[in-house]
Amino acid sequence: GSSWISFANTGAPSAPGFIVVPNGTKVTFTEMFNLTGNVTGASLDVLADDTASVWLNGVELASGNLGGSYPTCSSLPIGCLTSTMGVFTFAQLQPYLLDGENTLSFDVYQEAGSSYGLDYAGTISTPEPGTLVLLGFGLFAIALKARRRLLS
């Protein structure tokens, strides 16, 4: 799951206490997470109003669409419409994932309009410890059988 994040009530103009963020505003949202072991899968989906840059461990994965056309939100990825969602696959994320501490950052830009914020969801997969134990027993059994054949 995911949820809309911002630094104030900036998402729905009809909500009580809604504030308008001035054009040119940039706010960085950061999440840190730890990884240990072998990562076997990862994904990240990002929506932003108006646009955002996405960074993983200091590497820019996507640049904000600054100075673009904004009919509703960014007309090019990454925006707040499903058609402009940033979708990052394991192949795109894996080279930048580190064993240990990782930092995921979003530079969110207000370019035109009134709503402002970010929505993202990500997953990371690692092998279950039980799977690794079974794999280890399987490899041990194969090695034992091969050794017996060599000795006979």
Side-chain angles (χ1 to χ4, degrees):
S2 66
S3 60
W4 193 257
I5 58 172
S6 191
F7 63 91
N9 187 4
T10 62
S14 61
F18 174 80
I19 64 166
V20 175
V21 177
N23 285 344
T25 299
K26 173 188 130 182
V27 174
T28 300
F29 298 100
T30 301
E31 181 167 340
M32 298 174 80
F33 58 97
N34 285 303
L35 292 176
T36 55
N38 186 32
V39 176
T40 58
S43 67
L44 176 65
D45 296 339
V46 181
L47 293 165
D49 196 344
D50 284 315
T51 190
S53 297
V54 179
W55 299 80
L56 179 57
N57 293 319
V59 176
E60 188 176 39
L61 302 178
S63 296
N65 178 33
L66 300 175
S69 167
Y70 298 93
T72 302
C73 60
S74 181
S75 60
L76 296 171
I78 295 174
C80 67
L81 304 175
T82 304
S83 62
T84 62
M85 177 170 35
V87 177
F88 301 92
T89 65
F90 180 53
Q92 293 167 302
L93 300 171
Q94 190 272 332
Y96 311 111
L97 292 170
L98 305 174
D99 191 28
E101 188 173 87
N102 290 264
T103 303
L104 179 62
S105 296
F106 307 93
D107 292 332
V108 183
Y109 301 92
Q110 176 72 306
E111 287 285 298
S114 59
S115 296
Y116 179 80
L118 174 77
D119 188 279
Y120 73 100
T123 61
I124 294 179
S125 304
T126 57
E128 294 289 330
T131 303
L132 295 176
V133 169
L134 288 174
L135 177 63
F137 279 131
L139 291 174
F140 178 75
I142 290 169
L144 187 61
K145 191 170 188 174
R147 184 170 185 253
R148 285 185 180 166
R149 281 188 181 169
L150 290 174
L151 296 176
S152 354

